[in-house]
């Protein structure tokens, strides 16, 4: 039985390592802050959305992007 458990643990671990190898693309990072920021820019213009723009930049930086 321990062999089956070990195989299950290894099988469960493989997808995680596969996901770790795929780097997060900037276009897919921080979708919540990006959506709100983009909507604000479209409706009010970038000059009126500085707080939302900075919040999105902070989120991107927290994920390791150099902005």
């Amino acid at each position: 039985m321990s062999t089956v458990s070990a195989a299950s643990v290894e099988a469960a671990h493989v997808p995680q390592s596969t996901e770790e190898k795929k780097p997060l693309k900037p276009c897919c990072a921080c979708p919540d802050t990006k959506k709100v920021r983009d909507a604000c820019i479209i409706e009010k213009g970038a000059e009126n959305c500085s707080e939302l723009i900075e919040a999105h930049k902070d989120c991107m930086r927290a994920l390791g992007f150099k902005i």
Side-chain angles (χ1 to χ4, degrees), residues 48-66:
N48 297 313
C49 302
S50 59
E51 288 182 23
L52 295 173
I53 293 169
E54 287 305 314
H56 184 63
K57 287 181 182 179
D58 289 343
C59 180
M60 297 287 286
R61 287 184 192 111
L63 292 175
F65 292 99
K66 295 179 182 179

Side-chain angles (χ1 to χ4, degrees), residues 10-67:
E10 288 180 33
H13 189 271
V14 172
Q16 290 177 346
S17 64
T18 304
E19 290 177 12
E20 291 174 9
K21 291 181 182 179
K22 294 181 182 178
L24 183 62
K25 296 179 183 179
C27 63
C28 302
C30 304
D32 296 333
T33 57
K34 182 179 180 180
K35 183 178 179 180
V36 174
R37 177 206 64 181
D38 290 351
C40 182
I41 291 171
I42 290 169
E43 292 174 15
K44 301 176 184 178
E47 62 278 355
N48 297 313
C49 302
S50 59
E51 288 182 23
L52 295 173
I53 293 169
E54 287 305 314
H56 184 63
K57 287 181 182 179
D58 289 343
C59 180
M60 297 287 286
R61 287 184 192 111
L63 292 175
F65 292 99
K66 295 179 182 179
I67 298 175

